[in-house]
Amino acid sequence: IATVYPKFVALRDDRLLRHAMNLIRPMKSPNVAPDFATAYAALETIVLWHRRRKGLEYIIEKEDEWNALRDRLGKFLKQDPLLTGDKGRRAMIKNKLGELRRAPFSAAFEDFCREYSVDLNDLWPVVGKAREMPLSEIRNRIVHGVVFDRTQIEALHRAGEHLRWTIERMLLAIFGWPVDESNVRPEMLRIYFAKMNLDNYRRAMRTVSESPLPNDSE
């Protein structure tokens, strides 16, 4: 406490970090997928805190510059042969343009790890190629309502352990406590099934469908 608390108090705006820590408080719940999504929200909150400190929320910060670019992109879409005369598809694409302004989560996350020297190489990757099922992609599948079978549920539970270890290392780095003197140091985690069988659990998660199963009535 003598080491960490002064750093916590010194932060200009600690509301996001308080929220992140509340999200990963110990819980006993049989609902693996919602628990994973809640923990991932804590990770996103920490990254948002970092985004705002470093100016990494938007690729184009100024509103007027972004609006001008969005207008040019809209004109380009209108002239593209594939979309000519198809207002419906053009409208759907234009509705997604706002996402282009926001800096990628992966870039902000990796910047955080560089700045705070957070080493996660021994854990389940947070970002990466979707087919490799990093933690970010698992979160996306949950949000889109995919159905997990029994083997995948076990793998999801273990992925959730890696997610919590990741978040704990990130918080320790923010507050200046060495990971090597914590219970999430690599040597300590080796005794856990989630760590010992990481490759097997990742293979199981790669079999998860990209979309929800159709209803019986469909």
Side-chain angles (χ1 to χ4, degrees):
I1 291 176
T3 299
V4 170
Y5 188 68
K7 293 180 180 292
F8 180 70
V9 173
L11 291 171
R12 183 173 299 177
D13 183 357
D14 61 14
R15 289 174 297 175
L16 288 173
L17 294 181
R18 287 177 184 272
H19 180 60
M21 289 186 285
N22 284 332
L23 288 173
I24 63 164
R25 69 187 187 279
M27 294 181 293
K28 293 183 179 180
S29 169
N31 300 317
V32 179
D35 285 352
F36 185 97
T38 298
Y40 197 89
L43 174 61
E44 290 183 311
T45 300
I46 296 172
V47 174
L48 175 60
W49 172 81
H50 182 67
R51 283 181 187 269
R52 291 180 175 175
R53 290 180 60 250
K54 294 291 294 291
L56 293 174
E57 281 198 82
Y58 301 109
I59 299 172
I60 299 175
E61 290 284 345
K62 294 183 179 179
E63 191 78 23
D64 57 342
E65 291 180 350
W66 166 248
N67 289 335
L69 176 58
R70 186 174 57 187
D71 289 343
R72 292 196 297 273
L73 290 172
K75 292 177 182 177
F76 170 80
L77 293 173
K78 192 172 183 178
Q79 296 170 359
D80 188 273
L82 183 62
L83 301 171
T84 300
D86 194 334
K87 292 183 179 180
R89 286 204 293 178
R90 283 206 310 271
M92 286 189 286
I93 294 175
K94 288 178 70 174
N95 285 338
K96 301 285 285 185
L97 290 180
E99 297 176 19
L100 298 178
R101 185 186 179 195
R102 190 171 180 82
F105 172 85
S106 59
F109 173 76
E110 290 168 356
D111 187 84
F112 175 95
C113 292
R114 283 193 299 270
E115 178 167 332
Y116 288 94
S117 300
V118 179
D119 186 357
L120 303 171
N121 287 325
D122 60 313
L123 301 182
W124 199 309
V126 173
V127 296
K129 297 179 180 178
R131 65 176 178 273
E132 294 298 322
M133 291 297 285
L135 298 178
S136 57
E137 182 61 22
I138 295 174
R139 175 265 182 195
N140 292 341
R141 303 287 174 96
I142 291 173
V143 169
H144 288 94
V146 299
V147 177
F148 298 92
D149 62 26
R150 182 172 297 180
T151 300
Q152 293 162 353
I153 284 289
E154 171 65 15
L156 177 59
H157 172 68
R158 302 306 179 182
E161 293 184 66
H162 281 263
L163 175 57
R164 294 183 68 87
W165 295 335
T166 296
I167 296 167
E168 289 170 14
R169 286 188 186 179
M170 292 170 73
L171 289 171
L172 289 174
I174 291 172
F175 296 127
W177 187 263
V179 169
D180 290 341
E181 297 180 20
S182 75
N183 287 338
V184 289
R185 63 186 183 273
E187 294 78 10
M188 177 67 76
L189 300 183
R190 288 173 184 166
I191 65 174
Y192 290 91
F193 285 115
K195 188 69 167 56
M196 289 188 291
N197 299 306
L198 175 58
D199 291 341
N200 291 334
Y201 293 130
R202 291 192 67 189
R203 277 194 292 270
M205 288 306 296
R206 292 187 191 114
T207 66
V208 175
S209 172
E210 293 186 10
S211 58
L213 295 175
N215 295 328
D216 293 338
S217 59
E218 293 181 350

